[in-house]
Amino acid sequence: GVRQSLSKFLTCCLLTVLSPVSLAFNLDSISPAVYTGPQNSYFGFSVEFYIPDPGTPSVLIGAPKANTSQPNITEGGAVYSCAWGANDTDCQQLPFDLTGNRVHNETEVLELKSNQ
């Protein structure tokens, strides 16, 4: 009845309070790879391993507020490819979209790529 429901509720509350707020992992805590990107770009917002060929792993790192070479676009975002395990922490920006906003009849803007 009521006592059993209260007991379950309190148990759930206790588990919630005692559980860690977030969990993280590190693949190599002795010699970690540290990558850096443009300041204020949210570099590292998303991270994914990418292995195009056996033996050549990379890390793809998102920077959603990065500025790129897109004409008249502010903070259009970028994705960087970084070598994994090569003692090289240099990252290269991947060229996804090199154009500005699409315009119809030279007056009507069809897409706004800034600040996304």
Side-chain angles (χ1 to χ4, degrees), residues 32-110:
V34 178
Y35 302 101
T36 58
Q39 192 171 13
N40 299 321
S41 68
Y42 291 4
F43 182 85
F45 186 81
S46 56
V47 178
E48 181 65 44
F49 279 102
Y50 175 62
I51 305 174
D53 298 312
T56 60
S58 296
V59 180
L60 300 180
I61 301 177
K65 294 181 69 102
N67 283 308
T68 64
S69 60
Q70 292 172 287
N72 302 314
I73 304 297
T74 303
E75 295 182 344
V79 175
Y80 294 85
S81 177
C82 310
W84 173 258
N87 292 333
D88 181 12
T89 57
D90 188 35
C91 299
Q92 305 299 319
Q93 182 179 329
L94 299 177
F96 280 111
D97 184 359
L98 304 177
T99 63
N101 292 323
R102 286 188 306 145
V103 179
H104 178 67
N105 293 335
E106 297 183 19
T107 57
E108 183 182 356
V109 178
L110 298 177

